[in-house]
Amino acid sequence: MTSSWFSSPAQAVERLAAAGYLADAPTATTSYLAGALEKPLLVEGPAGVGKTELAKAVARACDAELVRLQCYEGLDEARALYEWNYKKQLLRIQASQGAQEGAQEWSATHDDIFTDEFLLTRPLLTAIRREEPTVLLIDEVDKTDVEVEGLLLEVLSDFQVTIPELGTVTAVRRPFVVLTSNASRELSEAVKRRCLYLHLDYPDAEREREIVSSQVPGLDDRVAEQLVAMVGRMRELELKKAPSIAESVDWARTLIALEIRDLDDKAVTDTLGVVLKHASDHDRAVRELRLRA
């Protein structure tokens, strides 16, 4: 069966690059397989290595709608799947009771208020019901409670959602599903078993230079090399938050905005707040990298 997303890993590389995402061979191959096999893709790795951006790039490359479920502690079914519009239902009940009385009439009212008209769809159900190409991004799934993973199992295995009052809603067109995790906790084996797996780490210097240069046209090659080398040195330190690829790109844009053509110690210390977001990290970098203002 031909994938409706990418026809081959090579095409995935090409189309993702056109969408602004430079994918290496493992990323392109796994992205292709996620579409071809219609299996969710679990992308794991440290913050800022391009996990969320991969889902966005797939949506751009394939002209699909991106539906995002941002996970957080306390997320529940009402925010992830659906909930009923209780205020609207109550108004309908009050209107019905004003016109008629009796148990038989209540039965008819019950059937009337549990319909699509009163259903508030959330990201998971929205993605399942869409007939157009859809990328479902379940972002930072490791930040949810373990119980939430149970909500995902039916969606990830059968691409369907069961609503007791309406029945089972099955996807007419399966979405391209991307789950991201910073590995702050171990996900259940049940979730992992339903997914393809991709681990993204910080790229090597050459790959990061390519990414930064592609995102920041006009950046001098020499400055790009200096920037990537400095970011690499910072990642070797024991920091609260190591610089991400996004912060490398922001740093490059900062250097262009300030017309800095040489990343010397003064330039680094003057712009370090773009890259490091904790005072302790800033102090450690200045101290251990022996930067001079």
Side-chain angles (χ1 to χ4, degrees):
M1 182 179 65
T2 302
S3 170
S4 60
W5 298 95
F6 303 110
S7 62
S8 67
Q11 191 200 52
V13 170
E14 180 181 340
R15 293 177 66 179
L16 288 172
Y21 191 96
L22 297 184
D24 58 15
T27 301
T29 299
T30 312
S31 298
Y32 160 70
L33 290 173
L37 303 179
E38 296 186 325
K39 289 181 68 70
L41 172 58
L42 171 60
V43 188
E44 200 169 62
V49 294
K51 303 184 298 296
T52 299
E53 188 58 33
L54 175 60
K56 294 179 179 180
V58 171
R60 293 194 300 268
C62 300
D63 196 23
E65 183 76 17
L66 179 72
V67 176
R68 180 174 184 169
L69 172 62
Q70 180 62 55
C71 298
Y72 54 89
E73 186 177 352
L75 179 70
D76 59 12
E77 181 174 336
R79 296 300 176 190
L81 281 171
Y82 70 92
E83 63 180 326
W84 294 103
N85 189 332
Y86 298 115
K87 292 182 179 179
K88 192 173 181 180
Q89 286 176 321
L90 182 58
L91 289 174
R92 177 63 62 87
I93 291 171
Q94 291 173 338
S96 300
Q97 289 179 339
Q100 54 190 354
E101 298 180 355
Q104 185 174 0
E105 287 75 13
W106 161 245
S107 176
T109 302
H110 177 277
D111 292 340
D112 186 42
I113 63 174
F114 288 106
T115 62
D116 270 351
E117 180 183 353
F118 301 93
L119 187 66
L120 301 174
T121 62
R122 302 309 184 197
L124 294 181
L125 182 56
T126 297
I128 287 295
R129 299 180 81 185
R130 281 181 53 84
E131 297 181 3
E132 300 80 13
T134 304
V135 174
L136 171 60
L137 169 61
I138 304 175
D139 211 10
E140 298 184 303
V141 66
D142 55 318
K143 288 188 176 180
T144 64
D145 301 321
V146 176
E147 292 77 14
V148 175
E149 294 184 24
L151 299 177
L152 300 176
L153 295 180
E154 187 178 21
V155 175
L156 300 181
S157 58
D158 300 320
F159 288 90
Q160 65 182 29
V161 171
T162 299
I163 303 174
E165 298 86 354
L166 294 180
T168 300
V169 179
T170 303
V172 176
R173 182 170 191 161
R174 290 191 173 192
F176 189 109
V177 182
V178 178
L179 299 89
T180 74
S181 169
N182 295 334
S184 61
R185 70 170 176 85
E186 192 73 19
L187 300 180
S188 71
E189 290 301 322
V191 168
K192 288 185 175 182
R193 190 167 57 249
R194 287 161 173 79
C195 301
L196 300 178
Y197 180 81
L198 174 67
H199 183 269
L200 289 182
D201 209 337
Y202 297 116
D204 60 30
E206 180 59 28
R207 168 64 65 168
E208 186 157 13
R209 189 191 62 76
E210 291 177 359
I211 293 172
V212 171
S213 296
S214 69
Q215 294 293 316
V216 189
L219 182 67
D220 182 79
D221 288 343
R222 177 171 170 272
V223 175
E225 291 177 3
Q226 290 177 325
L227 182 152
V228 168
M230 182 59 70
V231 168
R233 292 172 64 191
M234 291 180 190
R235 288 178 184 153
E236 294 173 356
L237 305 178
E238 294 182 2
L239 303 177
K240 283 187 177 181
K241 171 63 174 67
S244 68
I245 298 174
E247 285 156 345
S248 295
V249 172
D250 286 343
W251 203 11
R253 289 172 176 157
T254 298
L255 299 180
I256 287 184
L258 295 175
E259 299 183 352
I260 293 175
R261 294 179 175 81
D262 182 32
L263 196 58
D264 55 17
D265 284 359
K266 184 179 186 307
V268 172
T269 54
D270 286 348
T271 59
L272 205 52
V274 178
V275 188
L276 302 180
K277 309 301 173 64
H278 295 274
S280 59
D281 288 349
H282 187 285
D283 294 342
R284 181 182 291 274
V286 171
R287 183 175 64 255
E288 298 197 15
L289 299 178
R290 292 176 171 80
L291 299 174
R292 299 180 303 277

